[in-house]
Amino acid sequence: PSIIRAPPPAWIVPARLLAPHRLEAAHLLQHNRARYQGRRSSLKPLLATSSTPPPRDGPWLGPGYAPKGVDAVGPCSPLDARLPVDKTGKRWCKHTKQIATVGPSCSTEDMIDKLFVAGVDVFRLNFSHGSHEEKRKVVELIRRVEQKYRHTIGILADLQGPKLRIWCFAEDYVFVHQGQKFRLDLEVDALGDVTRVALPHPEILQTLRKDDLILLDDGKVRLIVTETDLRGEWVDTQVQVGGKLSDRKGVNTPSIIIPISPLTIKDRSDLAAALDMGVDWVALSFVQKPSDMVELRQLVGERAFVMAKIEKPSAVERLDDIIALSDGVMVARGDLGVELMHEDVPILQRSIIDKCRRRGCPVVVATQMLESMITSPIPTRAEVNDVATALYLGADAIMLSAESAAGEYPIESVEMQCKIINRVEGSENFFPRMQSRASSESVLVSGHNPHILNMQEPEQQHLAYDSITSAAMLLADRLQAKAMIVFTTTGGTAVRASRIRPSIPVIAMVQEKWLGRRPSL
């Protein structure tokens, strides 16, 4: 197709058609035309957006990524320049996005480059570890890789949140046994022993009541409150599940909502630094209630998109309101599995994904997806199945944590996820299954495609988006159009269009650099 030039300041082109289309020429011809061959595919194309002013001697070309059904293109090279990499391979044709955590195993430019080529669309910066200077250097390296490949890359800043921990013991560790009494108090000057330890969080001790549950060390040790102090200076507990305890182990309180700000002093400092670095997404840990996301949004403003990490039972209870206040949601299965029964997590994962899809909110599935690949070059069959299940449920992105940050095989982990994505999305029943599940909301049967969706009762704030995109999809199907072009100033129309899971490419045109990176998730 001919290159599309939008009114200044946006210079936008369709970078490629997706597999099984083949990009025959890897450069722009002098007459602003790119040749493609191959048959029509139901996979999505790239959204195009400029990240810097175009050169005077010609347009720019550079594909980026987007939610399902939408992709993004960055700045193009001059007419006689070649693309920096062949972007017709499977890495560039997947729908589901990949997030990789940056850590000691992959903090160099060479490793970031290799991870990106292997399939990473968004790099996660874990602010629980490392200094601001280390994070700033990583951001610079990511932007350098982005410029090299002329492909938008998202950066996710993951704030630590109010991580609660017990204090220190006199010995290296102690063993507590089932049925024994164990006290938690505020006496940080006295080192702990087998009968007590300090918990330097008065807000917890003041909130706990009899029969409340306390989990230590990721749930390995379970305590039941038997007695509380009226002044909130201590609580007595009975050990329900015993085990080994050592210094500064984590504390979870699934049965209560702790009356604290979701942002600690450290989080506020990290947030200011992350925004100054120019990150695209900010994720808030241990969200308990909708007001937590309101507080984050007020601090972030329009400088980044906000993501809620669902890992507390109280957040599950207010999930609809939290999704409505978020630009994205993460199913953080680690702490969620600690505070809830293990058998509840798969059900909640599906419920969260369904609710996010109905609202058009990008949803990420995280934690232990390929855990064995921290030390092994291949995953277990169960892990492969876990990744595939997340795809079939409709997740927009899947994430690697320790596998890429501290593992021995970070590149192999990313490549394995990419292989699973391409195999599942290339299977015969994947797209019909996606459209069939989406049709549980509503289905409008077309003469050509029985899977085009029409929202029966779109939410009021999305009424225009859904009406226009639904009508456009129906029209495009009946005309057997090759693609649908969306002009958007906020990215909202493109996101709502991708929610419908269209069978034709959606090309979104934007004028702001940050909007071009939003679809990276």
Side-chain angles (χ1 to χ4, degrees), residues 249-269:
K249 290 300 182 181
V251 178
N252 294 86
T253 54
S255 57
I256 64 172
I257 297 178
I258 306 173
I260 58 175
S261 169
L263 294 158
T264 64
I265 296 176
K266 179 184 185 305
D267 290 330
R268 293 173 186 272
S269 174

Side-chain angles (χ1 to χ4, degrees), residues 44-314:
K44 61 177 184 172
L46 296 179
L47 150 88
T49 177
S50 63
S51 60
T52 56
R56 296 180 180 179
D57 57 347
W60 290 59
L61 178 64
Y65 262 47
K68 296 179 181 175
V70 183
D71 283 45
V73 189
C76 302
S77 56
L79 292 177
D80 58 349
R82 292 183 176 274
L83 293 172
V85 66
D86 177 14
K87 296 183 176 178
T88 62
K90 290 184 177 181
R91 180 264 180 265
W92 311 96
C93 301
K94 58 189 174 69
H95 285 223
T96 308
K97 307 306 171 63
Q98 291 177 253
I99 303 175
T101 304
V102 179
S105 294
C106 61
S107 56
T108 65
E109 182 174 359
D110 180 60
M111 284 299 297
I112 290 174
D113 187 303
K114 290 179 179 178
L115 289 176
F116 170 72
V117 173
V120 175
D121 303 292
V122 178
F123 285 96
R124 170 179 174 254
L125 306 181
N126 186 358
F127 277 83
S128 297
H129 309 285
S131 67
H132 291 173
E133 283 306 311
E134 291 173 346
K135 297 293 189 291
R136 192 179 303 277
K137 180 180 178 181
V138 170
V139 170
E140 292 173 356
L141 296 179
I142 293 171
R143 295 305 182 211
R144 199 176 300 168
V145 172
E146 180 182 62
Q147 183 64 26
K148 174 182 176 180
Y149 289 96
R150 302 192 182 110
H151 187 119
T152 53
I153 302 175
I155 299 178
L156 169 66
D158 195 339
L159 303 179
Q160 175 177 298
K163 186 68 174 177
L164 311 173
R165 299 181 185 276
I166 58 175
W167 203 237
C168 302
F169 291 89
E171 305 293 335
D172 291 339
Y173 58 86
V174 300
F175 277 97
V176 293
H177 301 280
Q178 181 178 359
Q180 79 165 73
K181 292 183 178 180
F182 192 77
R183 172 171 285 195
L184 301 172
D185 55 43
L186 297 177
E187 298 178 21
V188 294
D189 293 333
L191 295 178
D193 55 34
V194 74
T195 63
R196 60 156 295 277
V197 72
L199 178 62
H201 301 285
E203 61 277 1
I204 298 180
L205 299 181
Q206 293 166 6
T207 307
L208 286 168
R209 295 294 180 264
K210 186 178 179 180
D211 295 329
D212 279 334
L213 180 64
I214 303 173
L215 306 176
L216 305 180
D217 193 11
D218 290 336
K220 295 182 179 67
V221 176
R222 300 169 67 92
L223 312 175
I224 294 292
V225 176
T226 57
E227 187 179 352
T228 62
D229 176 40
L230 294 177
R231 294 174 297 179
E233 295 181 354
W234 53 264
V235 297
D236 282 337
T237 70
Q238 184 178 39
V239 178
Q240 191 178 51
V241 177
K244 178 181 175 180
L245 283 178
S246 56
D247 296 349
R248 302 188 62 78
K249 290 300 182 181
V251 178
N252 294 86
T253 54
S255 57
I256 64 172
I257 297 178
I258 306 173
I260 58 175
S261 169
L263 294 158
T264 64
I265 296 176
K266 179 184 185 305
D267 290 330
R268 293 173 186 272
S269 174
D270 292 342
L271 176 60
L275 293 175
D276 185 59
M277 296 173 199
V279 302
D280 307 298
W281 288 83
V282 176
L284 181 60
S285 301
F286 302 107
V287 174
Q288 298 187 95
K289 50 192 182 299
S291 60
D292 293 348
M293 296 309 298
V294 173
E295 184 174 345
L296 176 64
R297 178 82 70 178
Q298 290 173 344
L299 294 173
V300 172
E302 299 295 328
R303 300 178 66 183
F305 301 104
V306 297
M307 177 180 293
K309 295 176 66 176
I310 307 301
E311 46 196 339
K312 299 280 290 184
S314 56

Side-chain angles (χ1 to χ4, degrees), residues 403-443:
E403 299 95 330
S404 60
E408 298 176 15
Y409 303 95
I411 297 175
E412 290 83 354
S413 299
V414 173
E415 290 176 340
M416 178 56 64
Q417 274 195 340
C418 191
K419 289 177 182 178
I420 299 170
I421 290 172
N422 282 307
R423 181 64 186 92
V424 171
E425 292 181 349
S427 63
E428 181 179 358
N429 296 324
F430 180 75
F431 288 105
R433 183 187 295 266
M434 288 293 97
Q435 294 164 345
S436 175
R437 289 188 63 241
S439 68
S440 62
E441 300 170 28
S442 58
V443 176

